[in-house]
PDB file of all heavy atoms in Angstrom:
ATOM      1  N   PHE A 931      -9.888  10.203  10.010  1.00 90.00           N
ATOM      2  CA  PHE A 931      -8.980   9.360   9.253  1.00 90.00           C
ATOM      3  C   PHE A 931      -8.267  10.166   8.161  1.00 90.00           C
ATOM      4  O   PHE A 931      -7.205   9.788   7.679  1.00 90.00           O
ATOM      5  CB  PHE A 931      -9.770   8.223   8.588  1.00 90.00           C
ATOM      6  CG  PHE A 931      -9.150   6.876   8.770  1.00 90.00           C
ATOM      7  CD1 PHE A 931      -9.833   5.844   9.387  1.00 90.00           C
ATOM      8  CD2 PHE A 931      -7.877   6.620   8.301  1.00 90.00           C
ATOM      9  CE1 PHE A 931      -9.261   4.599   9.555  1.00 90.00           C
ATOM     10  CE2 PHE A 931      -7.299   5.377   8.456  1.00 90.00           C
ATOM     11  CZ  PHE A 931      -7.998   4.362   9.085  1.00 90.00           C
ATOM     12  N   ALA A 932      -8.891  11.263   7.771  1.00 94.00           N
ATOM     13  CA  ALA A 932      -8.314  12.072   6.694  1.00 94.00           C
ATOM     14  C   ALA A 932      -7.239  13.025   7.197  1.00 94.00           C
ATOM     15  O   ALA A 932      -6.708  13.814   6.424  1.00 94.00           O
ATOM     16  CB  ALA A 932      -9.424  12.862   5.993  1.00 94.00           C
ATOM     17  N   HIS A 933      -6.915  12.927   8.469  1.00 95.00           N
ATOM     18  CA  HIS A 933      -5.933  13.852   9.050  1.00 95.00           C
ATOM     19  C   HIS A 933      -4.610  13.810   8.296  1.00 95.00           C
ATOM     20  O   HIS A 933      -3.983  14.842   8.042  1.00 95.00           O
ATOM     21  CB  HIS A 933      -5.725  13.479  10.522  1.00 95.00           C
ATOM     22  CG  HIS A 933      -4.922  14.463  11.287  1.00 95.00           C
ATOM     23  ND1 HIS A 933      -5.436  15.642  11.775  1.00 95.00           N
ATOM     24  CD2 HIS A 933      -3.626  14.448  11.652  1.00 95.00           C
ATOM     25  CE1 HIS A 933      -4.493  16.309  12.414  1.00 95.00           C
ATOM     26  NE2 HIS A 933      -3.380  15.604  12.357  1.00 95.00           N
ATOM     27  N   GLY A 934      -4.175  12.608   7.944  1.00 94.00           N
ATOM     28  CA  GLY A 934      -2.912  12.467   7.225  1.00 94.00           C
ATOM     29  C   GLY A 934      -2.987  13.107   5.847  1.00 94.00           C
ATOM     30  O   GLY A 934      -2.018  13.681   5.356  1.00 94.00           O
ATOM     31  N   ALA A 935      -4.156  12.992   5.216  1.00 95.00           N
ATOM     32  CA  ALA A 935      -4.321  13.586   3.901  1.00 95.00           C
ATOM     33  C   ALA A 935      -4.269  15.110   3.991  1.00 95.00           C
ATOM     34  O   ALA A 935      -3.739  15.777   3.097  1.00 95.00           O
ATOM     35  CB  ALA A 935      -5.636  13.127   3.277  1.00 95.00           C
ATOM     36  N   LEU A 936      -4.813  15.664   5.068  1.00 96.00           N
ATOM     37  CA  LEU A 936      -4.775  17.121   5.245  1.00 96.00           C
ATOM     38  C   LEU A 936      -3.338  17.590   5.482  1.00 96.00           C
ATOM     39  O   LEU A 936      -2.931  18.651   5.006  1.00 96.00           O
ATOM     40  CB  LEU A 936      -5.666  17.524   6.425  1.00 96.00           C
ATOM     41  CG  LEU A 936      -7.158  17.264   6.199  1.00 96.00           C
ATOM     42  CD1 LEU A 936      -7.936  17.390   7.497  1.00 96.00           C
ATOM     43  CD2 LEU A 936      -7.719  18.221   5.156  1.00 96.00           C
ATOM     44  N   TYR A 937      -2.585  16.774   6.216  1.00 96.00           N
ATOM     45  CA  TYR A 937      -1.161  17.051   6.423  1.00 96.00           C
ATOM     46  C   TYR A 937      -0.447  17.100   5.082  1.00 96.00           C
ATOM     47  O   TYR A 937       0.324  18.022   4.786  1.00 96.00           O
ATOM     48  CB  TYR A 937      -0.593  15.969   7.344  1.00 96.00           C
ATOM     49  CG  TYR A 937       0.857  15.602   7.162  1.00 96.00           C
ATOM     50  CD1 TYR A 937       1.863  16.323   7.804  1.00 96.00           C
ATOM     51  CD2 TYR A 937       1.240  14.514   6.384  1.00 96.00           C
ATOM     52  CE1 TYR A 937       3.197  15.968   7.665  1.00 96.00           C
ATOM     53  CE2 TYR A 937       2.566  14.164   6.239  1.00 96.00           C
ATOM     54  CZ  TYR A 937       3.537  14.884   6.883  1.00 96.00           C
ATOM     55  OH  TYR A 937       4.860  14.526   6.733  1.00 96.00           O
ATOM     56  N   MET A 938      -0.758  16.094   4.246  1.00 96.00           N
ATOM     57  CA  MET A 938      -0.129  16.004   2.924  1.00 96.00           C
ATOM     58  C   MET A 938      -0.490  17.225   2.084  1.00 96.00           C
ATOM     59  O   MET A 938       0.347  17.804   1.395  1.00 96.00           O
ATOM     60  CB  MET A 938      -0.587  14.723   2.230  1.00 96.00           C
ATOM     61  CG  MET A 938      -0.067  14.593   0.824  1.00 96.00           C
ATOM     62  SD  MET A 938      -0.297  12.939   0.137  1.00 96.00           S
ATOM     63  CE  MET A 938      -2.048  12.925  -0.115  1.00 96.00           C
ATOM     64  N   LEU A 939      -1.739  17.633   2.177  1.00 96.00           N
ATOM     65  CA  LEU A 939      -2.194  18.793   1.423  1.00 96.00           C
ATOM     66  C   LEU A 939      -1.428  20.037   1.858  1.00 96.00           C
ATOM     67  O   LEU A 939      -1.013  20.855   1.033  1.00 96.00           O
ATOM     68  CB  LEU A 939      -3.694  18.971   1.666  1.00 96.00           C
ATOM     69  CG  LEU A 939      -4.557  19.581   0.579  1.00 96.00           C
ATOM     70  CD1 LEU A 939      -4.309  18.910  -0.749  1.00 96.00           C
ATOM     71  CD2 LEU A 939      -6.022  19.447   0.954  1.00 96.00           C
ATOM     72  N   GLY A 940      -1.219  20.158   3.178  1.00 96.00           N
ATOM     73  CA  GLY A 940      -0.444  21.284   3.686  1.00 96.00           C
ATOM     74  C   GLY A 940       0.956  21.289   3.110  1.00 96.00           C
ATOM     75  O   GLY A 940       1.490  22.333   2.710  1.00 96.00           O
ATOM     76  N   ALA A 941       1.561  20.101   3.030  1.00 96.00           N
ATOM     77  CA  ALA A 941       2.915  20.006   2.491  1.00 96.00           C
ATOM     78  C   ALA A 941       2.935  20.350   1.004  1.00 96.00           C
ATOM     79  O   ALA A 941       3.789  21.113   0.542  1.00 96.00           O
ATOM     80  CB  ALA A 941       3.461  18.599   2.709  1.00 96.00           C
ATOM     81  N   TYR A 942       1.990  19.814   0.244  1.00 97.00           N
ATOM     82  CA  TYR A 942       1.977  20.079  -1.196  1.00 97.00           C
ATOM     83  C   TYR A 942       1.687  21.537  -1.510  1.00 97.00           C
ATOM     84  O   TYR A 942       2.216  22.114  -2.455  1.00 97.00           O
ATOM     85  CB  TYR A 942       0.960  19.167  -1.899  1.00 97.00           C
ATOM     86  CG  TYR A 942       1.565  17.866  -2.377  1.00 97.00           C
ATOM     87  CD1 TYR A 942       1.637  16.759  -1.545  1.00 97.00           C
ATOM     88  CD2 TYR A 942       2.093  17.763  -3.662  1.00 97.00           C
ATOM     89  CE1 TYR A 942       2.195  15.569  -1.980  1.00 97.00           C
ATOM     90  CE2 TYR A 942       2.655  16.574  -4.106  1.00 97.00           C
ATOM     91  CZ  TYR A 942       2.706  15.485  -3.257  1.00 97.00           C
ATOM     92  OH  TYR A 942       3.276  14.306  -3.695  1.00 97.00           O
ATOM     93  N   LEU A 943       0.786  22.154  -0.709  1.00 96.00           N
ATOM     94  CA  LEU A 943       0.515  23.569  -0.939  1.00 96.00           C
ATOM     95  C   LEU A 943       1.748  24.401  -0.634  1.00 96.00           C
ATOM     96  O   LEU A 943       2.057  25.367  -1.328  1.00 96.00           O
ATOM     97  CB  LEU A 943      -0.679  24.024  -0.081  1.00 96.00           C
ATOM     98  CG  LEU A 943      -2.045  23.609  -0.627  1.00 96.00           C
ATOM     99  CD1 LEU A 943      -3.139  23.888   0.393  1.00 96.00           C
ATOM    100  CD2 LEU A 943      -2.345  24.348  -1.932  1.00 96.00           C
ATOM    101  N   THR A 944       2.478  23.994   0.401  1.00 96.00           N
ATOM    102  CA  THR A 944       3.732  24.687   0.717  1.00 96.00           C
ATOM    103  C   THR A 944       4.694  24.581  -0.463  1.00 96.00           C
ATOM    104  O   THR A 944       5.334  25.555  -0.845  1.00 96.00           O
ATOM    105  CB  THR A 944       4.366  24.071   1.979  1.00 96.00           C
ATOM    106  OG1 THR A 944       3.442  24.159   3.047  1.00 96.00           O
ATOM    107  CG2 THR A 944       5.648  24.786   2.342  1.00 96.00           C
ATOM    108  N   TYR A 945       4.774  23.390  -1.027  1.00 96.00           N
ATOM    109  CA  TYR A 945       5.616  23.190  -2.207  1.00 96.00           C
ATOM    110  C   TYR A 945       5.198  24.130  -3.331  1.00 96.00           C
ATOM    111  O   TYR A 945       6.027  24.776  -3.985  1.00 96.00           O
ATOM    112  CB  TYR A 945       5.523  21.731  -2.652  1.00 96.00           C
ATOM    113  CG  TYR A 945       5.969  21.479  -4.069  1.00 96.00           C
ATOM    114  CD1 TYR A 945       7.320  21.441  -4.398  1.00 96.00           C
ATOM    115  CD2 TYR A 945       5.040  21.296  -5.100  1.00 96.00           C
ATOM    116  CE1 TYR A 945       7.736  21.212  -5.695  1.00 96.00           C
ATOM    117  CE2 TYR A 945       5.455  21.074  -6.399  1.00 96.00           C
ATOM    118  CZ  TYR A 945       6.799  21.038  -6.696  1.00 96.00           C
ATOM    119  OH  TYR A 945       7.202  20.825  -7.989  1.00 96.00           O
ATOM    120  N   THR A 946       3.879  24.211  -3.550  1.00 95.00           N
ATOM    121  CA  THR A 946       3.381  25.081  -4.615  1.00 95.00           C
ATOM    122  C   THR A 946       3.754  26.528  -4.359  1.00 95.00           C
ATOM    123  O   THR A 946       4.249  27.229  -5.234  1.00 95.00           O
ATOM    124  CB  THR A 946       1.853  24.961  -4.737  1.00 95.00           C
ATOM    125  OG1 THR A 946       1.521  23.604  -4.958  1.00 95.00           O
ATOM    126  CG2 THR A 946       1.319  25.797  -5.880  1.00 95.00           C
ATOM    127  N   PHE A 947       3.514  26.990  -3.117  1.00 94.00           N
ATOM    128  CA  PHE A 947       3.800  28.387  -2.818  1.00 94.00           C
ATOM    129  C   PHE A 947       5.289  28.689  -2.921  1.00 94.00           C
ATOM    130  O   PHE A 947       5.689  29.724  -3.427  1.00 94.00           O
ATOM    131  CB  PHE A 947       3.310  28.736  -1.403  1.00 94.00           C
ATOM    132  CG  PHE A 947       1.808  28.800  -1.290  1.00 94.00           C
ATOM    133  CD1 PHE A 947       1.151  28.246  -0.217  1.00 94.00           C
ATOM    134  CD2 PHE A 947       1.047  29.435  -2.271  1.00 94.00           C
ATOM    135  CE1 PHE A 947      -0.231  28.305  -0.107  1.00 94.00           C
ATOM    136  CE2 PHE A 947      -0.338  29.495  -2.171  1.00 94.00           C
ATOM    137  CZ  PHE A 947      -0.982  28.922  -1.085  1.00 94.00           C
ATOM    138  N   VAL A 948       6.113  27.791  -2.401  1.00 94.00           N
ATOM    139  CA  VAL A 948       7.545  28.069  -2.362  1.00 94.00           C
ATOM    140  C   VAL A 948       8.217  27.795  -3.700  1.00 94.00           C
ATOM    141  O   VAL A 948       8.909  28.645  -4.247  1.00 94.00           O
ATOM    142  CB  VAL A 948       8.219  27.229  -1.250  1.00 94.00           C
ATOM    143  CG1 VAL A 948       9.723  27.370  -1.323  1.00 94.00           C
ATOM    144  CG2 VAL A 948       7.715  27.653   0.105  1.00 94.00           C
TER     145      VAL A 948
END
Side-chain angles (χ1 to χ4, degrees):
Chain A
F931 227 121
H933 189 79
L936 294 167
Y937 150 86
M938 176 167 72
L939 210 49
Y942 269 87
L943 282 170
T944 302
Y945 162 77
T946 303
F947 289 137
V948 172

